[in-house]
Amino acid sequence: MTTPAATPRIPEAVHRRRWAILGVLMLSLLIVVLDNSILNVAIKTISTPEPTGLGATQGDLEWAINSYTLVFAGLLFTAGLLGDRLGRKKVLLAGLAVFGIGSALAAESGSPVQLILFRAVMGFGAAFVMPATLAVLMNVFEREEQPKAIGIWAGGVGLAIAIGPITGGVLLDHFWWGSVFLVNVPIVIVAIGLMIWLVPESRDPKPGRIDLVGVGLSVVGLVLLVYGIIKGGQLADFTDPAVVATVVAGLAVLVGFVLYEKRSDHPSIDISYFRNRVFSAAISSLALVFFALMGVTFFAVFYTQSVRGYSPLQTGLLMLPLAAAQLIFAPRARLVVDRFGVRAVCTGGLLLLAAMLAAFTILEADTPIWILEVVFFLMGTGMAHIMTPASVVIMQALPREKAGSASALSNTFRQVGGALGIAVLGSVLSAAYRSGVEDKLTLLPADARHAAGESIEATLGVAAELGPRGEPLVTAAHDSFLHAMHVTALCGAGVALIGVVVVALFLPGRAPQEPEAQRPEADPVGAER
């Protein structure tokens, strides 16, 4: 019923090669997601002193991840609008090129500061890649095929998460740490070539003007907020005046951003979209999933490598069930939605995610490793049953011409959720670890205690320098980290439970069949039957 109305929008030549185009879009998506999943395995290596690593502190590591994420999230509004206005293919090609250049520079970083800077360049390029992939997808698939295509697209995230840690582990076993960034370059070259050959150009026939003020406010607000959270974790004191002032300033700027966008005649983000409670709930659920995913993978790497003693490659293999579950279930989640409705599927997914986060509290230094594997697999299963339905709701809530804006909103909330997950859960981990280990550092000189208590890697590094005298520090580091991990996991589970309430209240149930045909373009309830 919807096909005749949609057919004139998509030329037959494009329709015939739509699955090949989806493959190219997934390759572009692959490198953006792959980069963060590779870095999660490499953070321990990068934190070791030179020449093996860069001697990065936990704060440096959080900023190496968040400099990418913040630039990415802050520019997604503009990237989506530029794609709609100038052409999504052009923007996608430019983004891939910048991402490849940033990757090559990051591989040659000589200090944590340089790594943070070049990661920001990578984030700049990635900001123009991810929204364009979904926007192109929405313009080459008919409406009835969009849920299936988005499910496969979301499964590509799982594939990237699977390939990333394993690839990173193999590279770190044979090459220097910079190889985890250099590997992006050949993928970028291949993706650009295929993109030029296969992907058609598309744009919004009535684009808006670029909102420079809104972009500036969003970037400044996010940077201040996340910086304050990270600083609070480093100091193990969230009441420090500088921390409070920075966080409050960030929140104030973000409030100003929202007020400005409401009054602007050419906003980066149309605040009226959020009056739709279904749209807002779907966006929120994606943010919460990435909050949990990025926060958990951040501390899980230290658990497997620093406490359990696994190599980077072994750590990558251990994280395979998390990614495999997403790869298996994300493309099939639409079938479960057809039967039970969006609300039931997303609520169940978030409940499962919350339960698995809480399950991290049973992990100790000698827990059978298969238990961690089961936890990872069930976490991935829960995430797959949130990401696909929520993405479809968001993308089908707006007209096809606004696909870039819808994709930018979706990906902005993913990335902001991920940034806050690393910042908040990383800071909770850091604060809880420091409070647990600081009274065990009395054998160190007073001026060395603060640095030694910043992370488990810092403590273990000092213990190694002390030789036999440092053995008690190793035990204290492991015990303190496990306690900190348990506290952090419970915080993550609490956030996921908030998501359960939001989703259960506001996402649609199983809608009747008729509204889907009657409201094909703007009703996410009908779209997600």
Side-chain angles (χ1 to χ4, degrees):
M1 215 182 302
T2 57
T3 304
T7 298
R9 298 172 183 249
I10 303 177
E12 180 59 27
V14 173
H15 183 72
R16 282 199 306 268
R17 64 176 189 265
R18 64 196 185 283
W19 296 109
I21 292 170
L22 178 59
V24 178
L25 296 177
M26 287 180 65
L27 183 62
S28 304
L29 175 70
L30 181 74
I31 60 168
V32 174
V33 180
L34 180 81
D35 179 73
N36 266 335
S37 58
I38 279 184
L39 183 58
N40 283 332
V41 174
I43 55 178
K44 180 179 182 294
T45 305
I46 294 171
S47 69
T48 58
E50 296 184 67
T52 303
L54 292 176
T57 66
Q58 187 150 317
D60 291 334
L61 293 172
E62 289 174 17
W63 273 109
I65 296 171
N66 283 329
S67 62
Y68 174 93
T69 305
L70 285 175
V71 173
F72 190 0
L75 291 177
L76 278 169
F77 298 139
T78 303
L81 288 172
L82 279 175
D84 289 343
R85 183 174 187 172
L86 302 177
R88 290 146 191 156
K89 180 176 180 178
K90 292 187 184 72
V91 165
L92 193 47
L93 289 170
L96 283 170
V98 172
F99 184 88
I101 293 168
S103 298
L105 292 172
E108 299 299 326
S109 299
S111 68
V113 172
Q114 288 184 8
L115 178 61
I116 291 168
L117 175 63
F118 295 138
R119 289 274 298 161
V121 174
M122 294 171 68
F124 185 94
F128 291 86
V129 174
M130 190 174 271
T133 62
L134 258 184
V136 171
L137 182 154
M138 297 298 288
N139 279 275
V140 299
F141 282 91
E142 302 293 0
R143 184 175 178 81
E144 63 271 15
E145 284 189 321
Q146 287 173 4
K148 180 179 180 182
I150 291 175
I152 295 172
W153 181 91
V157 175
L159 178 64
I161 294 171
I163 292 174
I166 296 170
T167 304
V170 171
L171 290 170
L172 291 172
D173 273 359
H174 295 88
F175 304 102
W176 93 116
W177 63 266
S179 61
V180 301
F181 299 112
L182 200 60
V183 72
N184 292 330
V185 176
I187 301 175
V188 165
I189 293 170
V190 171
I192 287 176
L194 292 173
M195 193 82 56
I196 293 170
W197 179 34
L198 287 172
V199 176
E201 185 61 277
S202 63
R203 57 172 57 86
D204 183 351
K206 298 178 181 179
R209 288 186 289 149
I210 303 302
D211 176 23
L212 295 177
V213 174
V215 171
L217 289 173
S218 65
V219 172
V220 171
L222 284 170
V223 169
L224 286 172
L225 176 62
V226 176
Y227 178 80
I229 294 170
I230 292 175
K231 194 65 179 175
Q234 288 177 322
L235 298 174
D237 181 9
F238 289 94
T239 62
D240 182 87
V243 172
V244 173
T246 307
V247 170
V248 170
L251 291 173
V253 172
L254 290 175
V255 169
F257 166 72
V258 172
L259 294 175
Y260 177 82
E261 295 298 287
K262 288 177 71 174
R263 290 169 172 75
S264 175
D265 59 357
H266 59 288
S268 291
I269 174 174
D270 190 339
I271 302 298
S272 66
Y273 294 157
F274 292 93
R275 293 174 187 160
N276 182 329
R277 293 186 299 178
V278 172
F279 182 84
S280 297
I283 283 274
S284 300
S285 66
L286 280 181
L288 292 171
V289 166
F290 273 75
F291 182 100
L293 175 63
M294 297 302 290
V296 166
T297 51
F298 187 79
F299 68 68
V301 167
F302 286 102
Y303 171 71
T304 54
Q305 294 188 44
S306 300
V307 177
R308 302 301 296 262
Y310 290 101
S311 70
L313 176 56
Q314 290 170 327
T315 296
L317 293 171
L318 287 173
M319 298 180 78
L320 189 57
L322 174 67
Q326 292 184 65
L327 185 60
I328 293 167
F329 293 112
R332 295 169 174 79
R334 63 188 175 85
L335 304 175
V336 187
V337 170
D338 286 344
R339 181 164 184 178
F340 298 106
V342 182
R343 181 191 302 135
V345 173
C346 287
T347 301
L350 274 165
L351 277 172
L352 182 58
L353 178 60
M356 290 306 101
L357 283 166
F360 270 88
T361 59
I362 68 174
L363 298 178
E364 302 290 346
D366 56 354
T367 302
I369 202 65
W370 65 264
I371 294 178
L372 177 64
E373 300 299 271
V374 172
V375 169
F376 275 155
F377 185 81
L378 293 177
M379 278 187 69
T381 302
M383 290 174 178
H385 287 90
I386 304 162
M387 287 168 58
T388 299
S391 296
V392 175
V393 166
I394 293 162
M395 293 306 296
Q396 293 192 337
L398 303 181
R400 185 192 297 260
E401 291 76 17
K402 299 297 182 184
S405 299
S407 178
L409 277 174
S410 171
N411 286 298
T412 296
F413 274 77
R414 289 173 194 255
Q415 296 307 315
V416 170
L420 292 178
I422 293 167
V424 173
L425 295 184
S427 296
V428 170
L429 182 75
S430 180
Y433 177 78
R434 183 185 292 280
S435 66
V437 81
E438 60 186 356
D439 61 342
K440 310 292 194 304
L441 300 175
T442 52
L443 56 86
L444 299 177
D447 58 350
R449 291 174 193 168
H450 184 84
E454 188 168 290
S455 69
I456 184 172
E457 279 304 304
T459 308
L460 293 177
V462 171
E465 292 175 4
L466 292 175
R469 289 193 306 125
E471 288 181 8
L473 275 185
V474 174
T475 303
H478 289 171
D479 291 343
S480 298
F481 179 84
L482 289 169
H483 169 71
M485 183 179 76
H486 296 162
V487 171
T488 305
L490 287 176
C491 290
V495 171
L497 287 175
I498 294 171
V500 170
V501 175
V502 172
V503 165
L505 287 176
F506 300 120
L507 280 188
R510 187 181 180 193
Q513 188 167 2
E514 289 185 358
E516 182 179 2
Q518 294 171 358
R519 297 176 292 181
E521 286 299 328
D523 186 1
V525 178
E528 275 301 299
R529 199 185 121 285

